């Protein structure tokens, strides 16, 4: 193909891309050129106050994208108490994730008012927290608009449950355009952060089973979990997903699965099910394979259910709709 025909084709593709509502990495290059630096600075400041910023922000991005799409609908607070974040399935999203986005938005508004969506700020912040704890860096596509719907009642069937088996996990991720490999790579986010006992204690205290301890659990690990989640432990009791390196974004999560040290059923099943085992094994043995797959999956996650063009709005305050 001649160079000029190639150029015309490229131009046509670019125009079509815009028309069909695609994102682009340089979306704010003329309207808010420093947006990435501003968000990164706000994330860094927040993280130096509390480490919870890191897991909380990453998880918030996932929940935002899986319910209504990546449109900051998870950020909305309503006086009626029936916004997305109020659903029981928000599984106690830590307040520091919300606070990170609110602080970053304030800093961005001071430089370029009314231009950058909360959805894009959350996507940037999710990348930044991963980088801050040793995870892979990558370019974030931008141009999302903020959504106009946030309903608690629409959360339940859109988020995975910790009791899910491989087919259930695969089905839900496929509904969002994510492959089994994407799902396994994104589950690697469980290399940081914690879970409350309520999400997994049944794996060590199931008194209706002939053996109350899930046989796929490593016996020593099961013993630790029984101590953390003993029947007198309060509702605040938590266990780290990756007890080895809970504050480092590495592939130890997968190495733990090989040893029966997956905290949730939905973690361990990735290794116990022969249909996904080889990918877990690969990520456990080769950190760069995991990092590459995680980047690809995060960029795909960031395209789920996006609003572009004149859909939605650019919220002034991330926690309320413009009115
Ligand atoms: C594959 C299906 C998934 C299931 C069933 C699941 C479930 C859970 C559960 C039950 C918790 C504990 C919540 C609590 O007790 O406070 C949790 C925490 C967490 N999840 Fe997931 N998750 C999944 C995928 C993901 C994905 C794709 C990401 C991000 C890319 C993610 C990021 C996190 C993080 C960072 C935490 C720790 C939060 C904290 O320490 O505050 N998870 N997840
Ligand atoms: C407990 O074990 C029983 C018998 O194996 C099983 O049917 C049930 O689903 C288990 N409960 C939980 C919460 O996993
Ligand atoms: C990971 O895989 C790449 C090729 O995909 C290879 O070059 C590299 O040596 C592997 N690293 C380890 C630690 O096995
Ligand atoms: C951060 C946040 O809004 N968490 C809420 C999650 O849902 C429970 C009720 O199920 C609320 O009590 C939390 O405040």
């Amino acid at each position: 193909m001649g160079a000029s025909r190639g150029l015309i084709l490229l131009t046509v593709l670019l125009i079509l891309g815009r028309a069909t509502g695609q994102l682009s990495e340089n979306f704010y290059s003329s309207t808010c050129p420093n947006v990435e630096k501003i968000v990164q600075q706000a994330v860094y400041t927040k993280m130096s106050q509390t480490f919870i910023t890191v897991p909380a922000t990453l998880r918030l991005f996932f929940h935002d994208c899986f319910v209504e799409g990546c449109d900051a609908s998870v950020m909305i607070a309503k006086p009626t108490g029936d916004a997305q974040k109020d659903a029981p399935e928000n599984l106690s999203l830590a307040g520091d994730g919300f606070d990170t986005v609110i602080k970053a938005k304030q800093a961005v508004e001071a430089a370029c008012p009314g231009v950058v969506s909360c959805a894009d700020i959350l996507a940037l912040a999710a990348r930044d927290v991963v980088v801050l704890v040793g995870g892979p860096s990558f370019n974030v596509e931008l141009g999302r608009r903020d959504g106009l719907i946030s309903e608690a009642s629409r959360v339940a069937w859109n988020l995975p449950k910790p009791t899910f088996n491989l087919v259930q996990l695969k089905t839900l991720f496929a509904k969002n355009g994510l492959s089994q490999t994407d799902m396994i790579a994104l589950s690697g986010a469980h290399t940081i952060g914690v879970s409350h006992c309520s999400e997994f204690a049944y794996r060590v205290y199931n008194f209706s089973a002939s053996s109350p301890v899930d046989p796929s659990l490593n016996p020593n690990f099961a013993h630790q979990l029984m101590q953390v989640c003993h029947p007198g432990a309060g509702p605040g009791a938590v266990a780290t997903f990756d007890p080895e390196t809970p504050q480092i974004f590495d592939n130890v999560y997968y190495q733990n699965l090989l040893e029966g040290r997956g905290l949730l059923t939905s973690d361990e099943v990735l290794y116990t099910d022969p249909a996904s085992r080889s990918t877990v094994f690969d990520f456990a043995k080769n950190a760069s394979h995991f990092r590459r797959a995680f980047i690809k999956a995060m960029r795909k996650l960031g395209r789920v259910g996006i609003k572009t063009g004149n859909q939605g709005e650019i919220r002034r305050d991330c926690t309320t709709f413009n009115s």
Side-chain angles (χ1 to χ4, degrees):
M1 181 188 338
S4 61
R5 268 171 71 197
L7 197 64
I8 292 167
L9 182 61
L10 185 68
T11 312
V12 169
L13 286 174
L14 283 173
I15 292 167
L16 281 175
R18 277 287 156 86
T20 55
Q22 299 244 325
L23 303 174
S24 76
E25 287 168 13
N26 57 2
F27 189 81
Y28 298 111
S29 58
S30 58
T31 53
C32 195
N34 289 327
V35 62
E36 301 220 13
K37 282 233 159 57
I38 299 168
V39 171
Q40 187 189 36
Q41 181 60 51
V43 168
Y44 181 80
T45 303
K46 177 72 190 168
M47 132 99 177
S48 51
Q49 291 156 358
T50 169
F51 179 82
I52 304 166
T53 302
V54 176
T57 305
L58 183 54
R59 185 159 185 247
L60 190 61
F61 178 59
F62 170 51
H63 282 217
D64 185 37
C65 295
F66 262 44
V67 185
E68 307 294 350
C70 313
D71 65 353
S73 47
V74 74
M75 295 292 302
I76 293 290
K78 291 197 211 162
T80 40
D82 60 351
Q84 198 168 303
K85 74 196 281 271
D86 299 312
E89 293 79 11
N90 72 25
L91 300 170
S92 59
L93 286 166
D96 291 303
F98 295 92
D99 197 41
T100 302
V101 178
I102 291 166
K103 295 273 163 59
K105 173 70 170 176
Q106 284 165 357
V108 169
E109 285 299 291
C112 353
V115 168
V116 182
S117 67
C118 299
D120 279 345
I121 290 175
L122 178 51
L124 287 169
R127 183 270 313 271
D128 291 344
V129 293
V130 168
V131 174
L132 274 176
V133 292
S137 190
F138 53 95
N139 294 334
V140 176
E141 297 174 315
L142 300 167
R144 297 170 192 79
R145 310 261 301 172
D146 296 324
L148 301 173
I149 296 170
S150 176
E151 298 291 338
S153 60
R154 294 161 69 109
V155 173
W157 60 87
N158 287 309
L159 289 174
K161 294 190 182 7
T163 52
F164 272 12
N165 62 30
L166 186 71
V167 170
Q168 292 171 310
L169 290 168
K170 262 173 70 169
T171 306
L172 183 59
F173 278 70
K175 204 181 91 180
N176 291 290
L178 297 161
S179 68
Q180 174 174 296
T181 304
D182 296 328
M183 184 268 290
I184 299 169
L186 289 171
S187 296
H190 289 171
T191 183
I192 51 170
V194 299
S195 176
H196 292 82
C197 288
S198 53
E199 306 296 338
F200 63 84
Y202 67 86
R203 300 188 67 202
V204 288
Y205 287 113
N206 184 349
F207 296 115
S208 46
S210 51
S211 126
V213 177
D214 183 333
S216 72
L217 278 171
N218 172 299
N220 290 328
F221 186 57
H223 188 73
Q224 288 165 18
L225 298 182
M226 291 178 89
Q227 287 180 323
V228 173
C229 304
H230 64 88
V238 295
T240 46
F241 275 102
D242 170 12
E244 314 298 321
T245 54
Q247 302 200 343
I248 302 177
F249 199 96
D250 52 20
N251 65 338
V252 174
Y253 166 80
Y254 301 100
Q255 295 167 4
N256 290 339
L257 298 186
L258 265 50
E259 296 169 0
R261 295 173 185 271
L263 189 56
L264 308 177
T265 300
S266 59
D267 293 316
E268 196 58 55
V269 76
L270 303 178
Y271 187 65
T272 54
D273 194 315
S276 48
R277 180 175 299 163
S278 61
T279 307
V280 171
F281 192 79
D282 178 39
F283 291 170
K285 297 296 171 194
N286 193 313
S288 60
H289 286 184
F290 162 54
R291 291 165 74 91
R292 199 189 307 154
F294 184 77
I295 292 172
K296 187 176 173 202
M298 279 292 276
R299 286 169 59 97
K300 279 170 82 172
L301 176 61
R303 293 178 206 133
V304 173
I306 49 163
K307 285 91 193 157
T308 56
N310 53 13
Q311 299 171 305
E313 62 183 8
I314 303 295
R315 250 176 250 154
R316 281 185 293 274
D317 170 349
C318 293
T319 65
T320 50
F321 301 122
N322 297 344
S323 50

